[in-house]
Amino acid sequence: MKSDHKKVISIAEFRYPPAAPVIPAQLETPSGLLTDTLARPLRDLRISVTDRCNFRCVYCMPKDVFTTDYPYLPHSSLLSFEEIVRVAQILVAHGVEKIRLTGGEPLLRKDVEKLVAMLSALRTPAGAPLDLALTTNGSLLARKAQALKDAGLTRVTVSLDALDDATFRRMNDVDFEVAEVLRGIEAAHAAGLGPIKINMVVKRGMNDAEIVPMARHFKDTPHILRFIEYMDVGNSNGWKMDDVIPSSEVVRRIHEQMPLTEIARRQTSETASRWRYRDGGGEIGLVSSVTQAFCSSCTRARLSTEGMLYTCLFASGGHDLRALLRTSRNDAEISSAVAHLWRAREDRYSALRTANTPASAKRVEMSYIGG
Ligand code: SAM
Ligand code: SF4
Ligand code: SF4
């Protein structure tokens, strides 16, 4: 019998209710600085380009929920590249400097390099190019790295949860081998998409024995390994606090074998804390969204595959920009609606996370909104 959390949650259920953005009577011209109720500017945009994936990572798209008859979004619901670029352009005028393409698996979206080329043509109000990144599971990267670089991508983050093949296959749950992801990382490096960040989600009892081997493997390379605390995103992964290995424990385990020193973050909005090897062997990052929330410096908005704007990864609903795009609203109206909703933003889910957060609270799935 399936446990309660494993019941199929349809997209219609977790995106409900999409809020209709308010278009203020008085339209405004963007100034390049938009702040929310906690004085956090809008600086980053994550765009999910597909809700589909060729992996079934146990912490993200568990196989018994994301079955072959799972109700993925129909093609007509997806934002077109033109629609995505229009939203991005409006948000860049409000201060967005970094865009990250994600998913699902973004390299599954047909012709994604065309979207990269279109986004790379955008400029900030000061005339600077954007920092344009992409997060991928690496399965198609060996084939696509050069085309992505040629299209104007700045850098990639590759997710890899283990070096041990059996452990990795258990995590991705589709029997995908480590070697092909490593080939993808090398191809991205050769194409100039570095420094490459490697994301490892740590789940207790699943891949924590891989913490030290992964650290050892990527030490003394140009790549930056980042350990991600397993998060309670969505409703389908059966998250429990006991499965989380706190970053402090990750650091302790590595430090015992390869001494580390903490170093300053480059920017306050950076999600990862940084530690360098004392022998000069490079650095690692720790993303501690469960044990050390970083909501006070969160400058990220997320655009879902079907054009809902989310102001928090843990939101239960988004703001329906697609409805505005498809009802002939002009850029000034959409821009003013975005300004109105960002100014009202008060999200700080991780900071407020408590042991008694109701398990039934509806949250959007990671594969829909992107990480
Ligand atoms: N498919 C791509 C990939 O895996 O890199 C991009 C999308 S994936 C949702 C983005 C990132 O979210 C990945 O690094 C993944 O490991 C991470 N992620 C997914 N579910 C997570 C969870 N429950 N806790 C922490 N990180 C998670
Ligand atoms: Fe797919 Fe990425 Fe989620 Fe894994 S983490 S199932 S690769 S979207
Ligand atoms: Fe940002 Fe929400 Fe994550 Fe806090 S919980 S860091 S507000 S996305």
Side-chain angles (χ1 to χ4, degrees):
M1 205 177 86
K2 286 183 176 181
S3 60
D4 226 19
H5 74 266
K6 297 277 164 110
K7 81 183 167 72
V8 173
I9 301 160
S10 81
I11 282 168
E13 194 180 336
F14 67 71
R15 73 179 178 199
Y16 142 94
V22 173
I23 299 176
Q26 195 70 39
L27 300 184
E28 57 178 291
T29 310
S31 68
L33 178 65
L34 188 58
T35 50
D36 68 8
T37 59
L38 301 171
R40 298 169 295 187
L42 172 60
R43 292 283 179 239
D44 309 77
L45 175 62
R46 298 197 177 182
I47 303 174
S48 175
V49 294
T50 177
D51 61 333
R52 291 162 195 257
C53 188
N54 53 344
F55 283 14
R56 286 291 174 276
C57 300
V58 291
Y59 51 77
C60 179
M61 296 181 76
K63 228 177 199 170
D64 55 352
V65 173
F66 292 87
T67 53
T68 43
D69 50 7
Y70 184 81
Y72 293 102
L73 296 168
H75 192 74
S76 59
S77 296
L78 311 190
L79 288 194
S80 66
F81 290 172
E82 287 71 22
E83 288 171 325
I84 291 174
V85 173
R86 191 170 164 212
V87 172
Q89 192 158 24
I90 287 168
L91 269 65
V92 166
H94 280 305
V96 162
E97 297 162 339
K98 286 188 195 170
I99 293 186
R100 177 174 295 280
L101 299 181
T102 176
E105 174 45 45
L107 298 186
L108 290 181
R109 178 81 185 250
K110 193 165 173 282
D111 297 330
V112 72
E113 55 280 4
K114 286 192 185 148
L115 175 63
V116 170
M118 290 161 79
L119 290 170
S120 76
L122 298 181
R123 293 291 176 268
T124 67
L130 302 176
D131 180 5
L132 187 55
L134 177 143
T135 304
T136 171
N137 62 23
S139 59
L140 302 169
L141 194 54
R143 264 177 274 167
K144 300 209 171 191
Q146 191 60 53
L148 291 166
K149 175 68 184 179
D150 294 346
L153 194 71
T154 324
R155 57 205 172 85
V156 287
T157 297
V158 181
S159 303
L160 178 63
D161 296 327
L163 280 177
D164 171 65
D165 220 41
T167 309
F168 185 55
R169 285 173 199 262
R170 263 203 311 281
M171 293 290 277
N172 65 54
D173 215 10
V174 293
D175 219 21
F176 201 86
E177 56 162 1
V178 171
E180 187 58 25
V181 180
L182 293 178
R183 274 193 284 278
I185 293 170
E186 289 319 311
H189 177 67
L193 287 169
I196 296 162
K197 290 182 185 152
I198 317 286
N199 275 0
M200 171 178 176
V201 176
V202 184
K203 187 172 177 197
R204 192 183 295 280
M206 204 65 205
N207 65 338
D208 55 311
E210 288 289 295
I211 292 171
V212 172
M214 283 280 286
R216 211 179 286 286
H217 182 86
F218 289 107
K219 185 171 179 289
D220 299 307
T221 72
H223 316 316
I224 301 171
L225 176 60
R226 307 191 321 161
F227 296 91
I228 319 280
E229 284 180 350
Y230 172 41
M231 289 187 290
D232 49 336
V233 199
N235 293 97
S236 64
N237 61 11
W239 182 90
K240 303 192 294 305
M241 190 65 196
D242 289 352
D243 293 335
V244 179
I245 304 241
S247 293
S248 54
E249 190 180 329
V250 173
V251 169
R252 186 182 52 71
R253 289 198 204 179
I254 299 171
H255 180 74
E256 279 168 8
Q257 316 242 351
M258 296 168 275
L260 292 164
T261 301
E262 188 165 13
I263 53 176
R265 294 178 199 225
R266 282 193 196 84
Q267 290 167 339
T268 46
S269 63
E270 203 171 358
T271 50
S273 65
R274 300 168 65 205
W275 296 73
R276 68 168 178 79
Y277 292 107
R278 288 188 191 167
D279 67 0
E283 67 177 81
I284 57 169
L286 280 299
V287 181
S288 320
S289 36
V290 178
T291 61
Q292 297 161 48
F294 36 79
C295 300
S296 60
S297 57
C298 179
T299 55
R300 284 176 294 284
R302 292 175 158 87
L303 184 65
S304 79
T305 317
E306 55 174 349
M308 307 292 145
L309 193 73
Y310 286 81
T311 54
C312 178
L313 180 56
F314 296 92
S316 52
H319 303 269
D320 191 355
L321 294 191
R322 190 186 58 188
L324 303 187
L325 296 167
R326 295 188 180 174
T327 51
S328 313
R329 293 298 189 168
N330 63 37
D331 284 4
E333 289 172 316
I334 299 175
S335 170
S336 299
V338 167
H340 182 80
L341 68 89
W342 188 266
R343 282 207 189 91
R345 176 185 190 239
E346 47 187 24
D347 307 281
R348 50 194 191 107
Y349 175 89
S350 290
L352 299 174
R353 179 194 282 111
T354 57
N356 60 7
T357 301
S360 61
K362 279 186 186 141
R363 292 186 293 262
V364 66
E365 292 295 326
M366 187 77 128
S367 54
Y368 168 78
I369 197 177

